[in-house]
């Protein structure tokens, strides 16, 4: 895994060069599209700092990255300059982070993990409809009980059947026996096609589904499935902190990934990334998108080019080596919390390659959880878990303060 680090001034000149290749609303003859630069009463374009601010300049120029730019020769060419940066971003994610071969994937910057997950379900539903004349009653989505709610949301929207798998209460791993039984039952009930969601880190626990165990069962029984990886949370950390794993495009069982720029990468909201193997996006081509040159293959339609540029800038300012160091530091800090919890015999869940610690709510008062804004697994009377997420703003000092208070509580153990 390698992508080059650029200096800030290199990044700046590349972004301004890309902007100069876009059609400019201020200087060119554009009278045919319902787009323009940002409102000048609020976003005045003669602010002197803008010449040193590539992201803000892109935001103000307001390029639309509608459509997908990794395939076909036909594209909206108004914003070809910044779309090239999006292509470089998708290339880094697919080829360097997830080991794809060149020209074997497509992708785009979606509004978030939710859109990227729904895009995947939509593709596979249409794939089964088109290639197997399947009816929606014959297609089920299989996912663990710890899965993000965007998957049930997509199932609802797309009218699919749902198969939720039990997880082990301590390891948070999918119970394979349950998978076997539920697939068998589904087959007996006439379900023929399966869309499998595997979590490359869940939101609440940071647990990573054991994809090898799941796919070896699925392959053994020869069911018809397509597999999507939800890396919305884990996508920019797990591949760096765990180099030997099956979550990449070398694994033939995987067809697509979601990865959020607006979580670990510290990009602004609106930067979910969707990656899929080639020849899959065609199943969600909206032919009715007549006015879009190159058609539309996304759920969202118009989308901000500035968001794509910004994710590209973040990846480039760190380079792969810098990003690796940054993620390892978070994981190390997380481990230091767990060492203390072990000493005090506090029950918690933590995956060793992730920066989430989910503490058994029996070991902590609600007041302490509230004081440090720990997030409960539910907002009812009695949560089962409270989680700590060691994000880049979480420094040793605040952790020390929290840990001191937690230790004091252990002497009078809340139940
Ligand atoms: C956050 C998250 C999502 C959804 O992401 P949004 O960016 O909020 O749409 C999906 N899956 C997982 C595992 C997540 O952590």
């Amino acid at each position: 895994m390698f992508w080059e680090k650029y200096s800030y001034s290199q990044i700046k000149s590349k972004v301004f060069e890309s902007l100069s290749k876009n059609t400019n609303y201020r200087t060119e003859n554009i009278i045919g599209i319902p787009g323009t630069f940002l409102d000048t009463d609020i976003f005045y374009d003669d602010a002197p700092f803008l010449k040193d601010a590539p992201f803000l300049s892109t935001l103000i120029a307001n390029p639309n990255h509608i459509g997908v730019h990794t395939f076909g020769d036909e594209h909206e060419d108004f914003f070809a300059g910044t779309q090239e940066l999006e292509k470089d971003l998708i290339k880094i994610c697919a080829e360097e982070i997830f080991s794809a071969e060149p020209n074997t994937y497509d992708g785009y910057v979606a509004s978030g993990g939710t859109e990227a997950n729904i895009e995947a379900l939509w593709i596979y539903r249409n794939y089964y409809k088109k290639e197997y004349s399947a009816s929606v009653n014959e297609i089920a989505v299989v996912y663990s009980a710890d899965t993000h709610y965007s998957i049930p949301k997509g199932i609802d929207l797309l009218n699919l059947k749902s198969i939720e798998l039990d997880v082990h209460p301590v390891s948070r791993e999918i119970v394979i026996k349950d998978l076997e039984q539920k697939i068998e039952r589904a087959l007996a009930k006439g379900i023929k096609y399966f869309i499998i969601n595997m979590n490359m880190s869940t939101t609440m626990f940071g647990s990573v589904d054991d994809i090898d165990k799941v796919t070896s069962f699925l392959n053994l029984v020869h069911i018809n499935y397509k597999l999507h990886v939800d890396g919305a949370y884990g996508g920019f950390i797990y591949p760096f902190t765990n180099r030997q794993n099956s979550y990449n495009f070398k694994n033939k069982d995987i067809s697509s990934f979601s990865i959020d720029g607006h979580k670990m990468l510290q990009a602004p909201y609106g930067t979910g990334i969707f990656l899929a193997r080639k020849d899959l996006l065609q199943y969600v081509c909206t032919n009715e998108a007549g006015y879009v040159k190159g058609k539309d293959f996304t759920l969202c339609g118009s989308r901000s080019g500035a968001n794509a540029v910004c994710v590209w800038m973040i990846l480039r300012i760190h380079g792969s080596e810098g990003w690796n160091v940054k993620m390892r530091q978070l994981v190390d800090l997380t481990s230091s919390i767990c060492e203390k919890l072990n000493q005090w015999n506090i029950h918690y869940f933590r995956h060793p390659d992730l920066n989430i610690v989910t503490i058994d709510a029996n070991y902590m008062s609600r007041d302490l959880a509230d004081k440090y804004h720990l997030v409960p697994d539910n907002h009812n009377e009695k949560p089962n878990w409270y989680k700590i997420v060691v994000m880049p703003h979480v420094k040793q000092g605040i952790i020390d303060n929290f840990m001191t208070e937690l230790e004091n509580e252990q002497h009078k153990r809340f139940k």
Side-chain angles (χ1 to χ4, degrees):
M1 169 175 355
F2 179 79
W3 71 89
E4 197 183 336
K5 172 191 171 31
Y6 294 162
S7 68
Y8 192 75
S9 75
Q10 278 174 306
I11 287 175
K12 207 167 71 182
S13 64
K14 281 181 197 285
V15 172
F16 281 114
E17 189 192 320
S18 304
L19 276 176
S20 75
K21 292 180 185 155
N22 282 0
T23 313
N24 188 328
Y25 289 120
R26 289 177 206 278
T27 57
E28 291 171 64
N29 298 325
I30 312 181
I31 57 174
I33 51 175
T36 187
F37 45 72
L38 295 187
D39 185 287
T40 47
D41 286 347
I42 296 291
F43 302 97
Y44 41 100
D45 73 316
D46 55 352
F49 60 84
L50 283 178
K51 67 177 193 329
D52 290 312
F55 172 66
L56 290 179
S57 295
T58 312
L59 197 69
I60 289 176
N62 203 22
N64 187 354
H65 280 199
I66 191 167
V68 173
H69 312 296
T70 52
F71 63 91
D73 308 323
E74 289 257 297
H75 292 293
E76 287 289 0
D77 31 27
F78 295 103
F79 308 111
T82 48
Q83 286 166 3
E84 279 302 313
L85 293 184
E86 176 168 324
K87 274 167 75 172
D88 191 47
L89 157 67
I90 297 296
K91 181 180 157 86
I92 291 172
C93 294
E95 294 184 29
E96 300 305 326
I97 302 180
F98 294 112
S99 311
E101 294 298 323
N103 304 313
T104 60
Y105 56 84
D106 292 307
Y108 74 99
V109 180
S111 57
T114 297
E115 180 186 333
N117 284 344
I118 297 173
E119 175 89 4
L121 301 182
W122 186 27
I123 289 175
Y124 304 134
R125 185 197 70 166
N126 287 5
Y127 162 80
Y128 286 126
K129 280 169 74 169
K130 176 135 196 270
E131 302 298 334
Y132 295 87
S133 308
S135 79
V136 284
N137 299 325
E138 296 172 317
I139 311 171
V141 183
V142 181
Y143 57 97
S144 86
D146 285 344
T147 295
H148 187 265
Y149 70 85
S150 51
I151 295 291
K153 185 187 276 185
I155 291 170
D156 183 38
L157 283 167
L158 294 163
N159 249 315
L160 297 166
K161 298 276 170 221
S162 127
I163 299 178
E164 186 186 287
L165 304 175
D166 296 343
V167 297
H168 188 277
V170 175
S171 71
R172 308 311 301 184
E173 286 199 10
I174 289 174
V175 178
I176 296 294
K177 195 95 224 133
D178 193 53
L179 168 72
E180 293 173 6
Q181 284 169 357
K182 283 178 179 161
I183 294 282
E184 202 173 306
R185 231 179 288 155
L187 289 168
K189 278 204 283 191
I191 306 251
K192 297 197 187 112
Y193 311 101
F194 296 86
I195 300 170
I196 313 293
N197 177 71
M198 287 282 104
N199 298 303
M200 190 178 68
S201 181
T202 57
T203 316
M204 190 63 210
F205 293 92
S207 51
V208 176
D209 291 338
D210 190 334
I211 184 171
D212 294 331
K213 272 196 194 145
V214 170
T215 54
S216 35
F217 167 72
L218 299 173
N219 295 338
L220 184 75
V221 294
H222 295 296
I223 66 165
N224 205 336
Y225 74 91
K226 285 282 183 190
L227 190 151
H228 171 70
V229 175
D230 183 358
Y233 183 79
F236 283 111
I237 176 164
Y238 184 71
F240 298 86
T241 54
N242 182 329
R243 289 303 177 87
Q244 301 298 321
N245 68 72
S246 307
Y247 280 104
N248 56 64
F249 280 115
K250 289 209 187 96
N251 183 342
K252 299 220 166 12
D253 297 324
I254 295 176
S255 293
S256 55
F257 287 88
S258 301
I259 44 177
D260 266 351
H262 58 221
K263 286 183 178 154
M264 291 319 299
L265 207 63
Q266 289 175 271
Y269 289 110
T271 51
I273 296 169
F274 179 69
L275 303 172
R277 288 188 192 275
K278 275 240 173 282
D279 301 326
L280 285 171
L281 278 165
Q282 67 189 66
Y283 293 102
V284 291
C285 178
T286 303
N287 282 312
E288 293 84 345
Y291 72 80
V292 184
K293 188 168 169 197
K295 297 284 192 289
D296 192 11
F297 300 79
T298 70
L299 196 49
C300 61
S302 292
R303 57 194 178 84
S304 158
N307 277 354
V309 168
C310 162
V311 179
W312 177 87
M313 289 171 70
I314 295 172
L315 288 175
R316 281 297 181 189
I317 198 74
H318 293 283
S320 49
E321 283 156 20
W323 193 253
N324 201 26
V325 170
K326 192 168 153 156
M327 292 303 102
R328 283 189 181 278
Q329 282 168 346
L330 294 180
V331 165
D332 288 347
L333 192 52
T334 314
S335 300
S336 73
I337 297 176
C338 295
E339 282 165 24
K340 291 258 172 59
L341 298 178
N342 289 342
Q343 280 171 25
W344 305 334
N345 291 315
I346 293 178
H347 179 222
Y348 64 93
F349 177 88
R350 191 254 171 144
H351 186 292
D353 303 313
L354 278 142
N355 59 334
I356 296 178
V357 185
T358 308
I359 300 177
D360 184 334
N362 290 314
Y363 292 77
M364 196 192 309
S365 71
R366 184 183 283 253
D367 286 348
L368 183 58
D370 286 347
K371 179 169 175 189
Y372 287 89
H373 303 278
L374 269 61
V375 170
D377 61 333
N378 68 69
H379 291 271
N380 308 335
E381 264 316 80
K382 203 184 167 310
N384 300 307
W385 301 94
Y386 289 114
K387 73 166 169 176
I388 300 174
V389 187
V390 184
M391 294 299 280
H393 69 274
V394 180
K395 301 294 183 210
Q396 191 72 54
I398 185 169
I399 290 178
D400 289 348
N401 291 341
F402 168 76
M403 295 306 277
T404 305
E405 293 194 50
L406 183 64
E407 186 182 16
N408 288 339
E409 280 195 351
Q410 299 316 302
H411 300 305
K412 34 185 168 128
R413 176 85 33 106
F414 284 79
K415 287 277 173 190

